[in-house]
Amino acid sequence: MDYKQNYAYSDWTVLIYAAGNNDLEYYIYQQFQLIMNSIDAENINVIVQISRVPWSGQQHNNAVDIAEEWNGTRRYIIRNRTAVLVDDLGEINMSRPNTLLDFLIWGASTFPSRNIMAILSGHGAGFVGIMKENTEKGATIMGIQGFAKALAIFRKSTNKKIDILVFDTCFMDTIEILYAIAINSNGAAVCAIISKNNLLVEGLPYYKIIDILKRDSQKNQNILHLDKVINLLITSVNISKNHRDIDLLAIHLFEDDFIILKKLIDSISEVFKRDSNKFTCMLTNLGFYLLNNDFIDLSSLLNKYVHYYPDSDNSHNELLEVLNKIIIAPSLNKKDFGLKLFFPHNSQVYLKYFDLYKKMSFCCDNKWVELIHETNL
């Protein structure tokens, strides 16, 4: 079938990359079925690449589930409440950056559109990686640097951008991850949607997200601009009564802003290093060590920074200014930005993850990394 001929230029193409060959398989496949049964939008292409665990590991509640007996990885087009099988890819590893790259290039080239949304669905492990898959050789995961490189190659190969990059994964609310994507992806993604909290296993309500795009496609002459689409998306999902634990942020992935952000964090880290005892006291006052958490909320850090370092430079206000550019929805709340920095709460976590952490782009020539090292000696 010639898909370019059958699916002409549209307003939106939604590329859903769902890594379900793991313990999330049941929920990811349920999400797929929900999308299939609820989406009837015209002028929107919804494309899914989904992997499943072997049949013996699948959960089934009814005869419909059993009728859908398959495993491996498949591609579908979803339109008018119907899922059309495009390709059975067999046993491929969805945690490989090249697998994601192939899907993005194929989807964006085969289904041309005014805008592109990509949704990544699966496990997230912070700066360790995303899209965990179980293979015969054990569990594998896509590194953040490899993910960003795949986006960069996509941009170079297609000359297209992903307007909205949705992470239906946990632990994506760290500055280090967002910095890596903004700096290394060659401008491939304009905006990222992340959750401030770990998501429930059911994931985000894709039908709500796509419904916002449907409203956009019904407007004439692109009246509903991208920034309004993003704000509607954030508002609609955040106030959903069925997803009270969801608290989404929209992040502008503009490289220059993240470069400035890193420099300012480097600057305040130098202040912290001058008096490490005061810094430790500040963390204790925050209750950080009692939480057994390995990430510091940046808003909490800055709120205490002014109190403990009243004679410091203007880095605090400059940080607020750049964060106001990076966080485009909802409006910046000085008490809770929703972005975090890695800081191990004990030496065991430090020894386990620090060598991997140092490889992140954010860590190059950054005194925050030196602060972590010196605090855990």
Side-chain angles (χ1 to χ4, degrees):
M1 182 181 290
D2 185 350
Y3 292 102
K4 289 186 178 180
Q5 179 179 343
N6 286 273
Y7 293 89
Y9 190 86
S10 299
D11 289 327
W12 281 91
T13 291
V14 181
L15 302 171
I16 302 175
Y17 190 79
N21 188 6
N22 50 60
D23 58 333
L24 291 179
E25 189 268 349
Y26 172 78
Y27 303 100
I28 285 178
Y29 193 68
Q30 289 292 103
Q31 180 81 271
F32 171 72
Q33 291 181 315
L34 179 61
I35 297 170
M36 181 176 62
N37 294 326
S38 62
I39 294 176
D40 58 358
E42 294 294 333
N43 216 22
I44 296 178
N45 298 312
V46 180
I47 319 299
V48 181
Q49 180 163 308
I50 179 174
S51 63
R52 302 184 72 186
V53 299
W55 172 248
S56 60
Q58 295 176 17
Q59 300 180 44
H60 307 286
N61 292 335
N62 52 51
V64 174
D65 291 342
I66 297 174
E68 291 295 323
E69 177 182 350
W70 64 270
N71 62 281
T73 304
R74 289 183 173 186
R75 284 178 179 169
Y76 290 90
I77 301 169
I78 300 178
R79 260 190 149 184
N80 299 321
R81 301 179 187 272
T82 302
V84 179
L85 177 64
V86 177
D87 200 357
D88 188 334
L89 302 174
E91 298 291 339
I92 64 171
N93 190 342
M94 293 273 281
S95 70
R96 294 181 66 248
N98 283 345
T99 304
L100 171 63
L101 174 62
D102 180 65
F103 173 63
L104 293 176
I105 292 177
W106 171 80
S109 301
T110 306
F111 305 94
S113 59
R114 170 168 54 88
N115 297 106
I116 298 173
M117 170 184 283
I119 301 177
L120 279 81
S121 174
H123 273 300
F127 61 83
V128 175
I130 54 175
M131 302 293 105
K132 174 189 172 185
E133 286 270 280
N134 294 333
T135 70
E136 292 181 355
K137 297 181 180 180
T140 60
I141 199 163
M142 186 186 305
I144 299 299
Q145 300 293 103
F147 169 72
K149 183 178 179 181
L151 293 183
I153 298 173
F154 164 77
R155 173 82 167 118
K156 183 177 180 180
S157 301
T158 64
N159 198 32
K160 298 176 183 291
K161 290 186 178 183
I162 297 170
D163 298 280
I164 304 177
L165 181 61
V166 181
F167 288 100
D168 189 13
T169 59
C170 293
F171 301 110
M172 295 302 293
D173 55 345
T174 67
I175 291 169
E176 295 92 339
I177 294 175
L178 298 171
Y179 179 91
I181 297 171
I183 298 299
N184 299 310
S185 65
N186 191 31
V190 178
C191 169
I193 304 296
I194 62 172
S195 174
K196 289 201 293 187
N197 308 308
N198 286 341
L199 293 165
L200 301 175
V201 291
E202 293 85 357
L204 296 175
Y206 296 177
Y207 64 94
K208 283 184 170 290
I209 294 172
I210 296 173
D211 184 61
I212 297 299
L213 305 186
K214 181 179 178 180
R215 296 186 212 175
D216 179 41
S217 68
Q218 292 171 343
K219 298 287 184 179
N220 294 322
Q221 299 178 352
N222 195 21
I223 294 174
L224 190 57
H225 296 294
L226 185 61
D227 58 341
K228 293 184 179 179
V229 171
I230 292 168
N231 274 284
L232 281 172
L233 189 157
I234 295 292
T235 302
S236 175
V237 175
N238 282 353
I239 65 174
S240 171
K241 293 182 180 179
N242 295 324
H243 295 81
R244 291 179 180 176
D245 293 331
I246 294 177
D247 199 357
L248 298 183
L249 293 174
I251 306 297
H252 187 207
L253 296 170
F254 185 51
E255 181 177 355
D256 288 355
D257 288 339
F258 276 91
I259 290 174
I260 295 171
L261 179 62
K262 177 186 171 181
K263 289 180 178 178
L264 291 171
I265 292 173
D266 178 74
S267 177
I268 66 169
S269 299
E270 175 64 26
V271 176
F272 295 150
K273 284 182 61 184
R274 290 177 198 153
D275 191 340
S276 58
N277 290 331
K278 182 184 287 188
F279 177 69
T280 303
C281 180
M282 183 175 69
L283 293 185
T284 302
N285 185 266
L286 283 170
F288 173 74
Y289 294 108
L290 296 176
L291 296 174
N292 292 330
N293 197 336
D294 298 310
F295 297 91
I296 292 181
D297 183 87
L298 185 57
S299 54
S300 298
L301 196 66
L302 288 182
N303 289 334
K304 290 296 181 182
Y305 177 79
V306 176
H307 174 73
Y308 278 84
Y309 304 91
D311 298 326
S312 59
D313 57 23
N314 198 39
S315 296
H316 173 269
N317 291 329
E318 291 175 344
L319 269 165
L320 290 176
E321 183 178 341
V322 71
L323 284 167
N324 203 35
K325 294 180 180 178
I326 289 173
I327 303 172
I328 54 180
S331 299
L332 184 65
N333 180 350
K334 294 182 181 180
K335 294 183 179 180
D336 183 14
F337 306 147
L339 295 181
K340 302 177 180 67
L341 285 164
F342 176 65
F343 197 89
H345 77 279
N346 61 35
S347 58
Q348 288 79 17
V349 176
Y350 165 77
L351 292 171
K352 184 176 181 179
Y353 292 109
F354 190 63
D355 285 343
L356 178 62
Y357 178 70
K358 288 189 299 183
K359 297 178 182 178
M360 298 292 291
S361 302
F362 176 83
C363 298
C364 181
D365 297 323
N366 194 333
K367 292 182 178 60
W368 179 258
V369 182
E370 297 176 13
L371 182 66
I372 292 175
H373 177 67
E374 292 176 7
T375 307
N376 283 275
L377 286 177

